[in-house]
Amino acid sequence: MAKSNTSLDDVGPALDPRTNYDHRGDSVERPGLAEDLDGLIDGDVRFDDYSRQLYATDASIYEVTPVGVVFPTSTADVSAVVEYCADREIPVLPRGGGTSLAGQTVNEAVVLDFTRDMDGIVDIDPDARTARVESGAILSELNEALEPHDLKFAPDPSTANRSAMGGAVGNNTTGAHSLLYGKTDAYVEELEVVLADGTVTTLGEVTLEELEAGADPDGTLEERLYAEAHRIVEEESDHVEERFPELKRNVSGYALDVLVDEAESGSVNLARLIVGSEGTLAVVTEVEVSLEPLPEMKALGLLTYDSLLEAMEDVDDILEHEPAALEVLDGVLVDLARELEEFKDVIDLLPDRTDTFLLVEFYADSHEERQEKVEALLDDRIGDRAFDGMEAYEEKDQKNFWKMRKASTPILLSRTTDAKHIAFIEDVAVPPKHLPEFIADFKQVFEDHDTIGSFYAHAGPGCIHVRPLINTKTEEGVAEMESIADAATDLAVRYDGSVSGEHGDGRARTQWNWKLYGDHLMTVFQDLKTAVDPDWILNPGTVCGDVDMTENLRFDADYDFDSGFDPALNWDIDNGFQGMAELCHGCGSCRGTQETTGGVMCPTYRASQEEITSTRGRANLLRQAMSGDLGEEEQFDVEFMHEVLDLCIGCKGCSKDCPSEVDLAKMKVEVANEYHERHGSSLRDKVFANVDRLNALGSALAPLSNWAAKVPGARTVMEKTLGIAKDRSLPEFHRESLEDWFEARGGAGVPESEADSRALLFPDTYTNYNTPYVGKAAVEVLEAANVHVEIPDDVTGSGRPPHSKGFLDKAREQAATNVDALAPRVRDGWDVVVVEPSDAVMFQSDYLDLLSGDDVETVAANAYGVMEYLDAFRLDDDLPVDAPDETLTYHGHCHQKSTKKDHHAVGVLRRAGYEVDPLDSGCCGMSGSFGYEAEHFSMSQAIGSILFDQVEESTGDRLVAPGASCRTQLGDEYDEKPPTPVEALADAL
């Protein structure tokens, strides 16, 4: 099997870790093709198995292995690739963020990924209110650049933080505010495109006279485009007006309706004919769009109903109030949200009898205007069908309301069963006046097929998202899917709607365009396609082609999954480890915001912008390895571990930030554990897994152990023998450990009989041997809060080091020792308090994966990080604090963020009198041993540079961080390790 010939560990300079990454191999299907393309262009060419499989999926239910992947750096690169492929009739597929839900970005073709190197903003003209960007530019990054000018690109898909402008053009993207703004086609002014023969041209507005003058059905591809567009205007207008639905939301087929409508004014914009064509008519390289002003202010009204149908009957009346957005969430999702802790506070705002709610947003120029709009809505609608309502004017309250609406997709996509809520008819759209009958008929379709689904999203424009629960791993399930799609198409036609109001044709809906438009118009579509792409090499099969929605499914009746081992961890989900391995649905949230920051995942992707370093990429390759797509037991191959899983740094961000909560870190340690069983382990891995013993020895030999590391040449020897980066500072050992100090002082400072609480301060290895002063600060603060503190002497290491390195037997042994020692005391009223965040999360979360039973559940439920402990029980309320007059910049630990415990330190520090600027930061890049490993040093620094930039931009006078790894990374950058929050709190005592 052909694989890469360059390691991801050779990531190049820290500020651009992708520079030296050249994941190339020999072409599997077309020998010589990769080499030929590589010689033609400046960009990367990758035809190895891993790269091809990475681009075999998108956010849809489909999987098609491409011929290869190319990363163009310029329009000239794109032209060269297309011309070469055209001469050999090799299909070509342009691709952005791979967020397509209908399967239009997977094909057996040479894939052009624009998001890595052709993602720039070319020009912004605030006066003309236009922007010009490359095809790979991310929508949210464009809007970030436009914000200082009080402008925005108006279409706002939910995937804007990872969707590319080329994809928006290809799909004719819209969003929640389409009532006000419409679709992308309304904003495209000009396109630079590469035609199917490699010709580069610019398409824009032309008069009908210019259109006719430029037309030649036997001429160049551009002249053929002019000719076919002119013919459609002259000969097909009546057919277009008759068959195209009059609907705000229709992105099915080619935009002939826009062409015909514009012709009435005497001119047409040929760029808009390309919009929505899904890469089948031309390859877009640059886009000029018009812009809209940012709204002065917003307000929300929320209306509650006893049933979905009553809410749908209200939509037409609500539209008379001219909202900017009108969204719905039905009873199925409301009930599911009530069961999830994450949404409890928000869902509790709803009246108990709420089955369905409508979320109505207004834009306004003043506080008075927005209040008038919301109050007019509530006065008009409450008491008729709506039984109650709420309003939100503050940004925080509005976010809470939107959170309920945005909860829908994550809830539906969290199933790990074989049956899943899949996307294939989820954006059928009808005129809003028909919604009540349409929904009632759709519910009957579900009943006829003995399945369930939920109705949510864009009620205002009539585009209700519907995702039936279907198991496509059976022939019956696949047949059921096609039957439901057929029935949904019939409903769309019956109610003058469209089979796609948002997500496009692709593989899921192309076959249904024949029902929607009829044979004649479909032939017109095909004639247009043939005119500009005679050999049908551009994304063949979609829009007007012959793709079958039941073929190339990611999960079908032939799908087989074999993990190749018995999982060592507890997987308390449907289908266990397999359920988690199959959970990624490809939405690309892990690629979100690219070079911008915020949230936890995925740090290696942010640093490298390589699909293989994203959670989606790793999860897909792991599933594909276990389903046989990559060869038998590929998941245990040395190169698979090295190329695919090695750079997952275990930050756990995906378990929180991924909409489906894919836990890649947990899957990695499972596979790593089995890998050790089969292949053994390196000396360095064993050293890091047993760092407890190493630290104990270093402490016993201090200060000699500290001097030894400073001997000239010692670090070079360590790098060559153990692979520990010579440029990374090493932890220092203290001769007197925290346990020694506590014993020497005579134990607890607050008598048990006088204390308000009793805490067992767990002596994690780093606090105990390397930073006992942090442990002393924790004791000081806890005792100031009148806590009786003891350090248990019958415990061992937390198990975090061996767990993170995939030595699960050792981690389980240490966990069992600690649980046996602590459980009886916890039952007696003691709490377990841990200074080091990753060790605290080990107790709270990872122990439950390693062990089962009442004892571990008891310990996990009563284990706390030190700042969490103070905040959860408000033990700091009576602390005698007088904080210095300074602002603290707070960087939280990724493990705490992943378990939603990061806020506790901020609350305590603020109550102590500090101003706190909490960074919306991800992993620091150290991740335990990762940042010490020589081959990972560059990547660690690249990830860290994102955090350093945030620190530089913060408003704080002093930086604080709770994690030992984070403080090492920051200390190496700023020549001094920042204190922990508990030390800052001790300073205020």
Coordinates of all heavy atoms in Angstrom, one line a residue, residues 155 171-187 244-252 255 257-258 261 275 315-316 319-320 322-327 427-433 458-464 495-503 517:
P155 N -25.2 36.3 3.9 CA -25.6 34.9 4.2 C -24.9 34.3 5.4 O -23.6 34.5 5.4 CB -25.3 34.2 2.9 CG -25.4 35.3 1.8 CD -24.9 36.5 2.5
N171 N -22.7 26.2 -3.5 CA -24.0 25.7 -2.9 C -25.1 26.7 -2.8 O -26.2 26.4 -2.5 CB -23.7 25.2 -1.4 CG -24.8 24.4 -0.9 OD1 -25.1 23.3 -1.4 ND2 -25.4 24.8 0.2
N172 N -24.8 28.0 -3.2 CA -25.7 29.1 -3.1 C -26.2 29.2 -1.6 O -27.4 29.1 -1.3 CB -26.9 28.9 -4.0 CG -27.6 30.3 -4.2 OD1 -27.2 31.3 -3.8 ND2 -28.7 30.2 -5.0
T173 N -25.2 29.4 -0.7 CA -25.4 29.3 0.7 C -26.4 30.4 1.2 O -26.4 31.5 0.7 CB -24.1 29.5 1.4 OG1 -23.4 28.2 1.3 CG2 -24.2 29.8 2.9
T174 N -27.1 30.0 2.2 CA -28.0 31.0 2.9 C -27.9 30.8 4.4 O -26.9 30.2 4.8 CB -29.4 30.8 2.4 OG1 -30.3 31.8 3.1 CG2 -30.0 29.5 2.6
G175 N -28.8 31.2 5.2 CA -28.7 31.0 6.6 C -30.0 31.4 7.3 O -31.0 31.5 6.7
A176 N -29.9 31.5 8.7 CA -31.0 31.8 9.5 C -31.7 33.1 9.2 O -32.9 33.2 9.4 CB -30.6 31.7 11.0
H177 N -31.0 34.0 8.5 CA -31.6 35.3 8.3 C -31.9 35.5 6.8 O -31.9 36.6 6.3 CB -30.6 36.4 8.8 CG -30.4 36.4 10.2 ND1 -29.5 35.6 10.9 CD2 -31.1 37.1 11.2 CE1 -29.5 35.8 12.2 NE2 -30.5 36.7 12.4
S178 N -32.2 34.4 6.1 CA -32.6 34.5 4.7 C -33.8 35.3 4.5 O -34.1 35.8 3.3 CB -32.7 33.1 4.1 OG -33.7 32.4 4.7
L179 N -34.7 35.4 5.5 CA -35.9 36.3 5.3 C -35.5 37.7 4.9 O -36.2 38.3 4.1 CB -36.7 36.3 6.6 CG -37.6 35.1 7.0 CD1 -38.1 35.3 8.4 CD2 -38.7 35.0 6.0
L180 N -34.4 38.1 5.4 CA -34.0 39.5 5.2 C -33.0 39.6 4.0 O -33.0 40.5 3.2 CB -33.3 40.1 6.5 CG -33.0 41.6 6.5 CD1 -34.3 42.4 6.3 CD2 -32.3 41.9 7.8
Y181 N -32.1 38.6 4.0 CA -30.9 38.7 3.1 C -31.0 37.8 1.9 O -30.2 38.0 0.9 CB -29.7 38.4 3.9 CG -29.4 39.4 5.0 CD1 -29.2 39.0 6.3 CD2 -29.2 40.7 4.6 CE1 -28.9 39.9 7.3 CE2 -28.9 41.7 5.6 CZ -28.8 41.3 6.9 OH -28.5 42.2 7.9
G182 N -31.8 36.7 1.9 CA -31.8 35.8 0.7 C -30.6 34.9 0.7 O -30.0 34.6 1.7
K183 N -30.2 34.6 -0.5 CA -29.1 33.6 -0.7 C -27.8 34.3 -1.3 O -27.8 35.5 -1.6 CB -29.6 32.5 -1.7 CG -30.9 31.8 -1.2 CD -31.2 30.6 -2.1 CE -31.5 31.0 -3.6 NZ -32.8 31.7 -3.7
T184 N -26.8 33.5 -1.4 CA -25.5 34.0 -1.9 C -25.6 34.7 -3.3 O -24.9 35.6 -3.6 CB -24.4 32.9 -1.9 OG1 -24.2 32.5 -0.6 CG2 -23.1 33.3 -2.5
D185 N -26.4 34.1 -4.1 CA -26.5 34.6 -5.5 C -26.8 36.1 -5.6 O -26.4 36.8 -6.5 CB -27.5 33.8 -6.4 CG -28.9 33.8 -5.8 OD1 -29.2 34.5 -4.8 OD2 -29.7 33.0 -6.3
A186 N -27.5 36.6 -4.5 CA -27.9 38.0 -4.5 C -26.7 38.9 -4.3 O -26.8 40.1 -4.5 CB -29.0 38.3 -3.5
Y187 N -25.6 38.4 -3.8 CA -24.4 39.2 -3.4 C -23.2 38.9 -4.3 O -22.2 39.7 -4.2 CB -24.1 38.9 -2.0 CG -25.3 39.2 -1.1 CD1 -26.2 38.2 -0.7 CD2 -25.5 40.5 -0.6 CE1 -27.3 38.5 0.0 CE2 -26.6 40.8 0.1 CZ -27.5 39.8 0.5 OH -28.6 40.0 1.2
F244 N -40.1 26.5 -12.1 CA -39.3 26.8 -10.9 C -40.3 27.3 -9.8 O -41.1 28.1 -10.0 CB -38.3 28.0 -11.2 CG -37.0 27.4 -11.6 CD1 -36.7 26.9 -12.9 CD2 -35.9 27.5 -10.7 CE1 -35.5 26.4 -13.3 CE2 -34.6 27.0 -11.1 CZ -34.4 26.5 -12.3
P245 N -40.1 26.8 -8.6 CA -40.9 27.3 -7.5 C -40.7 28.7 -7.1 O -39.5 29.2 -7.1 CB -40.5 26.3 -6.3 CG -39.2 25.8 -6.7 CD -39.1 25.8 -8.2
E246 N -41.7 29.4 -6.8 CA -41.6 30.8 -6.3 C -41.3 30.7 -4.8 O -42.2 30.7 -4.0 CB -42.9 31.6 -6.6 CG -43.1 31.8 -8.1 CD -44.3 32.7 -8.4 OE1 -44.8 33.3 -7.4 OE2 -44.7 32.8 -9.5
L247 N -40.1 30.7 -4.5 CA -39.7 30.4 -3.1 C -38.4 31.1 -2.8 O -37.5 31.2 -3.6 CB -39.5 28.9 -3.0 CG -39.4 28.2 -1.7 CD1 -40.7 28.3 -0.9 CD2 -39.0 26.7 -1.9
K248 N -38.3 31.7 -1.6 CA -37.0 32.3 -1.1 C -35.9 31.2 -1.0 O -34.8 31.5 -1.3 CB -37.2 32.9 0.3 CG -37.9 34.3 0.3 CD -38.0 34.8 1.7 CE -38.6 36.2 1.7 NZ -37.8 37.2 1.1
R249 N -36.3 30.0 -0.7 CA -35.3 29.0 -0.5 C -35.5 27.9 -1.6 O -36.2 26.9 -1.4 CB -35.6 28.3 0.9 CG -35.2 29.2 2.1 CD -33.8 29.4 2.2 NE -33.4 29.9 3.6 CZ -32.9 29.1 4.5 NH1 -32.6 27.8 4.2 NH2 -32.6 29.6 5.7
N250 N -34.7 28.0 -2.6 CA -34.6 27.0 -3.6 C -33.2 27.0 -4.2 O -32.7 27.9 -4.8 CB -35.6 27.2 -4.8 CG -35.4 26.1 -5.9 OD1 -35.0 25.0 -5.6 ND2 -35.6 26.5 -7.1
V251 N -32.4 25.9 -3.9 CA -31.1 25.8 -4.4 C -30.9 24.6 -5.2 O -29.8 24.1 -5.5 CB -30.0 25.9 -3.3 CG1 -30.1 27.2 -2.5 CG2 -30.2 24.7 -2.3
S252 N -32.0 24.0 -5.7 CA -31.9 22.8 -6.6 C -31.8 23.2 -8.0 O -32.3 24.2 -8.5 CB -33.2 22.0 -6.4 OG -33.2 21.3 -5.2
A255 N -29.4 27.9 -11.7 CA -30.1 29.1 -11.4 C -30.7 29.8 -12.6 O -30.5 30.9 -12.9 CB -29.2 30.1 -10.6
D257 N -33.8 30.5 -13.1 CA -34.8 31.5 -12.7 C -34.1 32.8 -12.5 O -34.7 33.9 -12.9 CB -35.5 31.0 -11.5 CG -34.6 30.7 -10.3 OD1 -33.4 30.4 -10.5 OD2 -35.1 30.7 -9.1
V258 N -32.9 32.9 -11.9 CA -32.2 34.1 -11.7 C -31.9 34.7 -13.0 O -32.0 35.9 -13.3 CB -31.0 33.9 -10.8 CG1 -30.2 35.2 -10.7 CG2 -31.4 33.4 -9.4
D261 N -35.1 36.1 -14.7 CA -35.6 37.3 -14.0 C -34.7 38.5 -14.3 O -35.2 39.6 -14.6 CB -35.6 37.0 -12.5 CG -36.7 36.1 -12.1 OD1 -37.6 35.8 -12.9 OD2 -36.7 35.6 -11.0
V275 N -23.4 30.3 -9.6 CA -23.8 30.1 -8.1 C -24.8 29.0 -8.0 O -25.8 28.9 -8.7 CB -24.4 31.4 -7.6 CG1 -24.8 31.2 -6.1 CG2 -23.4 32.5 -7.7
V315 N -47.1 30.9 11.5 CA -45.9 31.4 10.8 C -46.3 32.6 9.9 O -45.7 33.6 9.9 CB -45.2 30.3 10.1 CG1 -44.2 30.9 9.1 CG2 -44.5 29.4 11.0
D316 N -47.4 32.4 9.1 CA -47.7 33.4 8.1 C -48.1 34.7 8.8 O -47.7 35.8 8.3 CB -48.9 32.9 7.3 CG -48.7 33.0 5.8 OD1 -47.5 33.1 5.4 OD2 -49.6 32.9 5.0
L319 N -44.9 36.5 10.0 CA -44.1 37.1 8.9 C -44.6 38.5 8.6 O -43.8 39.3 8.1 CB -44.2 36.2 7.6 CG -43.5 34.9 7.7 CD1 -43.7 34.1 6.5 CD2 -42.0 35.1 7.9
E320 N -45.9 38.8 8.9 CA -46.4 40.2 8.7 C -45.7 41.2 9.5 O -45.7 42.4 9.3 CB -47.9 40.2 8.9 CG -48.7 39.4 7.9 CD -50.2 39.5 8.1 OE1 -50.6 40.3 9.0 OE2 -50.9 38.8 7.4
E322 N -42.5 41.3 9.8 CA -41.2 41.5 9.1 C -40.0 41.2 10.0 O -39.1 42.1 10.2 CB -41.1 42.9 8.6 CG -42.2 43.2 7.6 CD -42.1 44.6 7.0 OE1 -41.4 45.5 7.6 OE2 -42.7 44.9 6.0
P323 N -39.9 40.0 10.5 CA -38.7 39.6 11.3 C -37.5 39.4 10.4 O -37.7 39.2 9.2 CB -39.2 38.3 12.0 CG -40.1 37.7 11.1 CD -40.9 38.9 10.4
A324 N -36.3 39.4 11.0 CA -35.1 39.1 10.3 C -34.9 37.6 10.3 O -34.2 37.0 9.4 CB -33.9 39.8 11.0
A325 N -35.4 36.9 11.3 CA -35.3 35.4 11.4 C -36.5 34.9 12.1 O -37.0 35.5 13.1 CB -34.0 35.0 12.1
L326 N -36.9 33.7 11.7 CA -38.0 33.0 12.4 C -37.7 31.5 12.4 O -37.8 30.8 11.4 CB -39.3 33.3 11.6 CG -40.6 32.5 12.1 CD1 -40.8 32.6 13.6 CD2 -41.8 33.0 11.3
E327 N -37.4 31.0 13.6 CA -36.9 29.6 13.7 C -37.9 28.8 14.6 O -38.5 29.4 15.5 CB -35.5 29.6 14.4 CG -34.5 30.4 13.6 CD -34.0 29.7 12.3 OE1 -33.3 28.7 12.4 OE2 -34.3 30.2 11.2
D427 N -33.9 19.5 4.2 CA -34.1 20.9 3.8 C -35.1 21.1 2.7 O -35.1 22.0 1.9 CB -32.8 21.6 3.4 CG -32.1 21.0 2.2 OD1 -32.3 19.8 2.0 OD2 -31.4 21.7 1.5
V428 N -36.0 20.1 2.6 CA -37.2 20.3 1.7 C -37.9 21.6 2.1 O -38.1 21.8 3.3 CB -38.2 19.1 1.7 CG1 -39.4 19.4 0.9 CG2 -37.5 17.9 1.2
A429 N -38.2 22.5 1.2 CA -38.8 23.8 1.5 C -40.1 24.0 0.7 O -40.2 23.6 -0.4 CB -37.8 24.9 1.1
V430 N -41.0 24.7 1.4 CA -42.3 25.0 0.8 C -42.6 26.4 1.2 O -42.1 27.0 2.1 CB -43.4 24.0 1.2 CG1 -43.1 22.6 0.8 CG2 -43.7 24.1 2.7
P431 N -43.5 27.1 0.4 CA -44.0 28.4 0.8 C -44.6 28.3 2.3 O -45.3 27.4 2.6 CB -45.1 28.7 -0.2 CG -44.7 28.0 -1.4 CD -44.1 26.7 -0.9
P432 N -44.2 29.3 3.1 CA -44.7 29.3 4.5 C -46.2 29.0 4.7 O -46.6 28.4 5.7 CB -44.2 30.6 5.0 CG -43.1 31.0 4.2 CD -43.4 30.5 2.8
K433 N -47.0 29.5 3.8 CA -48.4 29.4 3.9 C -48.8 27.9 3.9 O -49.9 27.5 4.4 CB -49.2 30.2 2.9 CG -48.9 29.7 1.4 CD -49.7 30.5 0.4 CE -49.4 30.0 -1.0 NZ -50.1 30.8 -2.0
H458 N -35.7 26.6 10.0 CA -36.0 27.9 9.4 C -37.5 28.0 9.0 O -37.9 27.9 7.8 CB -35.2 28.2 8.1 CG -33.7 27.8 8.4 ND1 -33.0 28.5 9.4 CD2 -32.9 27.0 7.8 CE1 -31.7 28.0 9.4 NE2 -31.6 27.1 8.4
A459 N -38.4 28.2 9.9 CA -39.8 28.2 9.7 C -40.2 29.4 8.8 O -41.1 29.3 7.9 CB -40.6 28.3 11.0
G460 N -39.5 30.6 9.0 CA -39.9 31.8 8.2 C -39.9 31.6 6.7 O -40.9 31.9 6.1
P461 N -38.8 31.1 6.2 CA -38.8 30.9 4.7 C -39.3 29.5 4.3 O -39.3 29.2 3.1 CB -37.3 31.0 4.4 CG -36.6 30.5 5.6 CD -37.4 31.0 6.8
G462 N -39.8 28.8 5.2 CA -40.5 27.5 4.9 C -39.5 26.3 4.7 O -39.9 25.3 4.1
C463 N -38.3 26.5 5.2 CA -37.3 25.4 5.1 C -37.1 24.7 6.5 O -36.3 25.1 7.3 CB -36.0 26.0 4.6 SG -34.7 24.7 4.3
I464 N -37.9 23.7 6.7 CA -37.9 23.0 8.0 C -37.0 21.8 7.9 O -37.1 21.0 7.0 CB -39.3 22.5 8.4 CG1 -40.3 23.7 8.4 CG2 -39.3 21.8 9.7 CD1 -40.0 24.7 9.5
Y495 N -46.8 21.0 -2.9 CA -47.0 22.3 -2.2 C -46.1 23.4 -2.8 O -45.7 24.4 -2.1 CB -46.6 22.1 -0.7 CG -47.7 21.3 0.0 CD1 -47.4 20.1 0.5 CD2 -49.0 21.8 0.1 CE1 -48.3 19.3 1.1 CE2 -49.9 21.0 0.8 CZ -49.6 19.7 1.3 OH -50.6 19.0 1.9
D496 N -45.7 23.3 -4.1 CA -45.0 24.3 -4.8 C -43.7 24.6 -4.2 O -43.2 25.8 -4.1 CB -45.8 25.6 -5.0 CG -47.2 25.3 -5.7 OD1 -47.2 24.5 -6.6 OD2 -48.2 25.9 -5.2
G497 N -43.0 23.6 -3.7 CA -41.7 23.8 -3.0 C -40.6 23.2 -3.7 O -40.6 23.0 -5.0
S498 N -39.5 23.0 -3.0 CA -38.2 22.5 -3.6 C -37.7 21.4 -2.8 O -37.9 21.3 -1.6 CB -37.2 23.7 -3.6 OG -35.9 23.2 -3.9
V499 N -36.9 20.5 -3.5 CA -36.3 19.4 -2.8 C -35.1 19.8 -2.0 O -34.6 19.1 -1.1 CB -35.9 18.2 -3.7 CG1 -37.2 17.6 -4.4 CG2 -34.9 18.7 -4.8
S500 N -34.6 21.0 -2.3 CA -33.5 21.5 -1.5 C -33.7 23.0 -1.3 O -33.6 23.8 -2.3 CB -32.1 21.2 -2.1 OG -31.1 21.8 -1.3
G501 N -33.9 23.4 -0.1 CA -34.0 24.9 0.2 C -32.7 25.4 0.8 O -32.7 26.6 1.2
E502 N -31.7 24.6 1.0 CA -30.5 25.1 1.6 C -29.2 24.3 1.3 O -28.2 24.9 1.1 CB -30.7 25.1 3.2 CG -29.6 25.7 4.0 CD -29.9 25.9 5.4 OE1 -30.9 25.3 5.9 OE2 -29.3 26.7 6.1
H503 N -29.3 23.0 1.3 CA -28.0 22.2 1.3 C -27.6 21.7 -0.1 O -26.6 21.0 -0.2 CB -28.2 21.1 2.3 CG -28.3 21.6 3.7 ND1 -29.1 21.0 4.6 CD2 -27.8 22.7 4.3 CE1 -29.1 21.7 5.8 NE2 -28.3 22.7 5.6
Y517 N -38.4 19.3 -11.7 CA -38.4 20.2 -12.8 C -38.9 19.6 -14.1 O -39.2 20.3 -15.1 CB -36.9 20.6 -13.1 CG -36.4 21.5 -12.0 CD1 -35.3 21.1 -11.2 CD2 -36.9 22.8 -11.8 CE1 -34.8 22.0 -10.2 CE2 -36.4 23.6 -10.9 CZ -35.4 23.2 -10.0 OH -34.9 24.1 -9.1

